[in-house]
Amino acid sequence: MERLIIKGGIQLHGEVNCSGAKNAGLPILASTILFDDPISIFNLPHLKDISTMLELLNSMGSEIRFEEEDGIEIDSSSIKKPEARYELVKTMRASVLVMGPLLAKYGKAKISQPGGCNIGSRPIDFHLAGLQKMGAKITTDSKFIYLEAERLNATNFEFPKISVTGTENLIMASVFCKGTTVLRNCAREPEVVDLINFLNSAGAKIKGAGESVIEIEGVDKLKKVGWSILPDRIEAGTYLVAGAITNGHVRVKGIESNLLEPVIQKFREMGVVVNSGKNYVEVDATTTELVSCSLDTEPFPGFPTDMQAQFMALNSIAKGVSMIAENVFENRFQHVVELQKMGADIQLDGHKAKIVGVSNLVGSSVIASDLRASASLVLAGLVGKNRTEIEDIYHIDRGYQCIEEKLNKLGAEIIRQPAI
Ligand code: UD1
């Protein structure tokens, strides 16, 4: 398998472009199932997860034409086989996002059981409960979930706990329901808002984007539109941590600061200077002595769980003691043991981690266990003395477009060693 080899200890300087958001691209691609026309989508990131979603749509009958550099035209108007296969759901749980639109448009869906994953059991019971409340008949066996509904009905549904893809699935399922569907305790993430804005631009009637109550008034059909995916706040945040952790000065272009508010606040608490302007956010840590800061992950607008691992790497070399509480996922500390190999002083207690800052990390041979965990190892490798080798980097490619190219542009020395 491929590995990344990172020479640590180089201050990063310069500018890097932010790609489109994976977590907005995935539901928006799934939502093309709702349309009768081909849809053009731009600013799609070149990521494994996006190719997996395209492969899934293509396996069901969508036709995909690659347009300019970051654009595609996708025609999902004649799905022949509404089935998400095991091989695809296994590699990407977000494949379950096709459930809602398939039911809304074709009245049936067959989805491989998603099972557990590296960051916890991650059930989809809320998605299923909501669809059931809308009238879907759901049966399961050990391999598949079968959903059927001659017609979905508008309903009221309250999520027991906030779920990003759950909210997206039920919004997509409700678009054609007669009457008004009311969803409560919804996710307020910018990526959910991007999906809603896209659907509304195509004629859907969805109120409450960015709020916890969302109302969907059913429409008969959606009209042909084009859409440009919103920038990836997690990718941007990761490159900003790369600047901060190396005491460097890094500007991320193509993103507005409002998408990164809780992250910017934590940088400032740690002593990092953050500036922003039209279409950029930058960190300057060239004169900063990093100080620890504690944080709790929460659904938006709280601190994102997808930035927890990166901030743990940053706190590992900050002065003082910090506590990080992971409140969204049950098992999202797999990077801890790898950071410990690199000299980090971290103690785990359930869903909390205590980090005692050390003066520096030391390069080591480490294993990427999930997407954001791997990002934290790259960041630790950038600052750690000597050389860090990261195995199983396919996790990184799921969520970061050309990570080593972008970091090398900032002065890093990272090479990708091909599989032997
Ligand atoms: C999405 C993001 C992921 C991010 C996460 C939290 C995508 C493609 N992925 O994942 O990057 O880390 O939001 O911001 O957008 N839960 C249940 N039952 C359900 C659904 C969720 O118990 O039916 C639980 C989960 O196990 C988890 C919590 O709810 O503990 C939040 O999960 P959720 O928001 O659904 O995460 P995803 O949508 O899978």
Side-chain angles (χ1 to χ4, degrees), residues 22-24 26-27 49 93-94 97 119-128 159 161-168 187 189 191 233-234 298-300 304-306 327-330 332 371-372:
K22 165 178 91 69
N23 288 354
L26 292 172
D49 274 10
R93 294 175 48 80
L97 280 167
I119 60 174
S121 62
R122 283 182 97 174
I124 54 164
D125 49 338
F126 310 154
H127 305 231
L128 298 178
F159 287 93
K161 182 178 173 188
I162 293 173
S163 165
V164 174
T165 48
T167 302
E168 293 163 344
E189 268 65 6
E191 294 74 21
R233 64 197 165 103
I234 305 300
E298 300 288 351
F300 194 86
T305 171
D306 285 352
N327 296 325
V328 178
F329 288 110
E330 61 184 20
R332 207 172 201 183
L371 171 52
R372 305 304 168 187

Side-chain angles (χ1 to χ4, degrees), residues 125 171 173 178 254 281 324 337 353 356 361 367 384 399 409 411 418:
D125 49 338
I171 290 172
K178 282 222 159 26
V281 179
I324 293 188
V337 64
V356 181
L361 299 173
I367 299 170
K409 197 171 161 255

Side-chain angles (χ1 to χ4, degrees), residues 22 25-33 44 47-60 62 64 74 88 91-99 172:
K22 165 178 91 69
L26 292 172
I28 287 175
L29 284 174
S31 77
T32 62
I33 294 172
L44 262 183
L47 296 173
K48 184 74 184 84
D49 274 10
I50 294 290
S51 340
T52 305
M53 180 57 85
L54 291 174
E55 194 183 338
L56 169 58
L57 291 167
N58 186 242
S59 73
M60 296 192 293
S62 302
I64 298 153
I74 176 161
L88 297 169
T91 48
M92 189 186 67
R93 294 175 48 80
S95 305
V96 300
L97 280 167
V98 297
M99 260 186 330
M172 292 187 280

Side-chain angles (χ1 to χ4, degrees), residues 21-308:
K22 165 178 91 69
N23 288 354
L26 292 172
I28 287 175
L29 284 174
S31 77
T32 62
I33 294 172
L34 298 166
F35 288 76
D36 293 331
D37 297 297
I39 300 297
S40 293
I41 301 175
F42 303 99
N43 202 31
L44 262 183
H46 296 234
L47 296 173
K48 184 74 184 84
D49 274 10
I50 294 290
S51 340
T52 305
M53 180 57 85
L54 291 174
E55 194 183 338
L56 169 58
L57 291 167
N58 186 242
S59 73
M60 296 192 293
S62 302
E63 284 170 24
I64 298 153
R65 204 164 58 79
F66 291 87
E67 292 187 329
E68 52 193 60
E69 215 181 303
D70 295 327
I72 61 160
E73 186 183 69
I74 176 161
D75 184 351
S76 303
S77 61
S78 49
I79 297 276
K80 292 167 196 79
K81 204 174 169 211
E83 173 178 336
R85 298 195 325 254
Y86 172 71
E87 309 82 76
L88 297 169
V89 181
K90 183 185 75 171
T91 48
M92 189 186 67
R93 294 175 48 80
S95 305
V96 300
L97 280 167
V98 297
M99 260 186 330
L102 282 176
L103 266 182
K105 182 84 182 292
Y106 296 96
K108 59 180 174 181
K110 178 179 169 190
I111 311 287
S112 173
Q113 293 274 11
C117 81
N118 288 351
I119 60 174
S121 62
R122 283 182 97 174
I124 54 164
D125 49 338
F126 310 154
H127 305 231
L128 298 178
L131 293 171
Q132 201 161 29
K133 187 120 196 273
M134 294 172 73
K137 285 201 187 68
I138 302 176
T139 49
T140 57
D141 60 25
S142 59
K143 288 194 178 141
F144 286 98
I145 303 169
Y146 306 86
L147 303 105
E148 256 187 76
E150 222 167 88
R151 225 191 59 196
L152 290 173
N153 303 312
T155 190
N156 285 345
F157 180 77
E158 175 157 353
F159 287 93
K161 182 178 173 188
I162 293 173
S163 165
V164 174
T165 48
T167 302
E168 293 163 344
N169 235 335
L170 294 196
I171 290 172
M172 292 187 280
S174 317
V175 161
F176 300 136
C177 287
K178 282 222 159 26
T180 303
T181 303
V182 182
L183 304 176
R184 295 179 199 280
N185 200 24
C186 292
R188 299 163 61 192
E189 268 65 6
E191 294 74 21
V192 179
V193 174
D194 207 39
L195 170 70
I196 295 175
N197 289 343
F198 165 62
L199 292 172
N200 280 344
S201 77
K205 291 194 176 155
I206 307 168
K207 282 199 278 189
E211 293 168 28
S212 52
V213 180
I214 293 178
E215 289 185 13
I216 305 114
E217 193 187 322
V219 295
D220 290 337
K221 76 185 277 244
L222 297 176
K223 63 173 195 280
K224 183 174 172 142
V225 279
W227 195 253
S228 183
I229 302 290
L230 125 142
D232 195 321
R233 64 197 165 103
I234 305 300
E235 188 206 25
T238 303
Y239 292 128
L240 294 174
V241 175
I245 205 168
T246 60
N247 282 118
H249 188 168
V250 166
R251 175 178 285 199
V252 180
K253 292 194 302 181
I255 186 126
E256 302 286 341
S257 59
N258 62 337
L259 290 175
L260 281 163
E261 262 162 27
V263 172
I264 290 175
Q265 190 190 324
K266 289 296 161 190
F267 276 130
R268 290 194 170 132
E269 280 178 39
M270 296 185 81
V272 178
V273 177
V274 183
N275 297 311
S276 60
K278 194 170 162 33
N279 228 16
Y280 77 87
V281 179
E282 67 176 21
V283 291
D284 182 355
T286 45
T287 55
T288 302
E289 190 189 6
L290 289 166
V291 283
S292 295
C293 89
S294 295
L295 58 94
D296 291 6
T297 67
E298 300 288 351
F300 194 86
F303 188 91
T305 171
D306 285 352
M307 285 299 299
Q308 179 258 105

